[in-house]
Amino acid sequence: MADIVYCEWLKLRRSKIILIGFLGSFIVPFLVTVNDIRIYHSNTAMPLSLGGIYEDTIMFLMLLFGPLILAVVAVYLVSREYTEKTWKTVFAVPVGRMQFLAGKFIILFILVLLFMVLSWVDILAISIICSLFLNVLQINVMSAVYILAQMIKGGILLFATLTPFIYLALRAKGTLMPFIAIAVVSLLNVVLSGSQAAGIYPWTAAYLLLTGRLAQDKGHVLPGALIILFVAMFGICASIVRFQKEDIAG
């Protein structure tokens, strides 16, 4: 299995999709900090803080940039096998379908966590640089460790909501239908984020669960968590069933 994951990484390393993902992990904290500095200069009663930069960053990562960029990566992991016609080459070696598909999910999980950790590094770096010129609060080890733990938990929740895009890529054998689905999901994240439906819509429920806002609505934590779990299991199980029926020779 380690060899399969390593091969997936080698294939991705030669593509620009990883570079796009990494740039996305850096640009969000930067833009958020620029906006926070603008607000700080217009209202000095609202001080800059590491926690504040994290809260604004995690909102955009979980609701917009994360699902958008990482769903594209998830689709690319599968769709490139169709566009480059590499299925037959892959299965010329003794690799089981379950192993191969598991490799896709594992590398996606690793990339999601890497995306979140790089965002955490960027949040810390920007906050420290800003502290040289402005008064930035909460820059300490405890805050940094807490934010890292939150980013990792956010990555796990984000991965859980990305698994259906693997299935869509297998189903469509291309990128058009999955990309339309990605656009719709991202749009609904923005539209529903402040509504009552956010707690049962899996892509916004993941953000609310991470930040503890789902717990503020009594009785919504369990339904939200179960919906996220259902989406994750549906994506994995549906992908397995679809891939087992796939005609590789066709």
Side-chain angles (χ1 to χ4, degrees), residues 98-176:
M98 287 288 292
Q99 286 180 301
F100 186 75
L101 191 58
K104 297 286 187 185
F105 281 108
I106 291 172
I107 195 67
L108 176 62
F109 181 70
I110 292 172
L111 290 174
V112 172
L113 290 186
L114 186 59
F115 177 88
M116 299 300 281
V117 170
L118 287 175
S119 296
W120 171 76
V121 171
D122 199 29
I123 291 171
L124 284 182
I126 290 175
S127 299
I128 291 172
I129 292 171
C130 288
S131 69
L132 299 176
F133 308 97
L134 300 168
N135 182 26
V136 182
L137 306 177
Q138 299 177 345
I139 298 182
N140 54 65
V141 175
M142 291 297 294
S143 296
V145 171
Y146 170 77
I147 291 172
L148 176 60
Q150 288 294 101
M151 297 293 277
I152 292 175
K153 288 191 288 186
I156 294 171
L157 290 169
L158 195 54
F159 168 78
T161 61
L162 292 174
T163 59
F165 295 106
I166 295 282
Y167 167 71
L168 282 178
L170 288 168
R171 182 82 181 181
K173 299 183 180 181
T175 58
L176 180 59

Side-chain angles (χ1 to χ4, degrees), residues 2-152:
D3 291 337
I4 295 174
V5 174
Y6 179 65
C7 288
E8 290 292 336
W9 171 254
L10 290 179
K11 288 191 289 183
L12 284 172
R13 196 175 62 178
R14 294 194 297 268
S15 68
K16 293 182 179 179
I17 195 72
I18 293 297
L19 177 61
I20 294 172
F22 287 172
L23 288 176
S25 70
F26 286 115
I27 196 171
V28 176
F30 174 76
L31 293 177
V32 164
T33 304
V34 169
N35 184 62
D36 285 353
I37 291 174
R38 179 188 63 81
I39 295 173
Y40 170 77
H41 281 299
S42 63
N43 183 9
T44 54
M46 298 180 63
L48 287 172
S49 68
L50 179 62
I53 294 173
Y54 154 73
E55 289 177 2
D56 292 339
T57 300
I58 200 68
M59 178 181 66
F60 283 102
L61 286 178
M62 294 295 292
L63 294 178
L64 187 59
F65 285 93
L68 190 60
I69 294 173
L70 295 173
V72 170
V73 172
V75 171
Y76 181 79
L77 285 172
V78 174
S79 63
R80 67 172 295 171
E81 305 291 355
Y82 292 103
T83 56
E84 298 178 8
K85 303 184 185 302
T86 54
W87 283 129
K88 296 178 183 179
T89 304
V90 169
F91 288 106
V93 295
V95 177
R97 295 194 181 201
M98 287 288 292
Q99 286 180 301
F100 186 75
L101 191 58
K104 297 286 187 185
F105 281 108
I106 291 172
I107 195 67
L108 176 62
F109 181 70
I110 292 172
L111 290 174
V112 172
L113 290 186
L114 186 59
F115 177 88
M116 299 300 281
V117 170
L118 287 175
S119 296
W120 171 76
V121 171
D122 199 29
I123 291 171
L124 284 182
I126 290 175
S127 299
I128 291 172
I129 292 171
C130 288
S131 69
L132 299 176
F133 308 97
L134 300 168
N135 182 26
V136 182
L137 306 177
Q138 299 177 345
I139 298 182
N140 54 65
V141 175
M142 291 297 294
S143 296
V145 171
Y146 170 77
I147 291 172
L148 176 60
Q150 288 294 101
M151 297 293 277
I152 292 175

Side-chain angles (χ1 to χ4, degrees), residues 230-242:
F230 171 79
V231 168
M233 295 308 298
F234 168 80
I236 294 172
C237 295
S239 298
I240 292 172
V241 172
R242 178 66 187 180

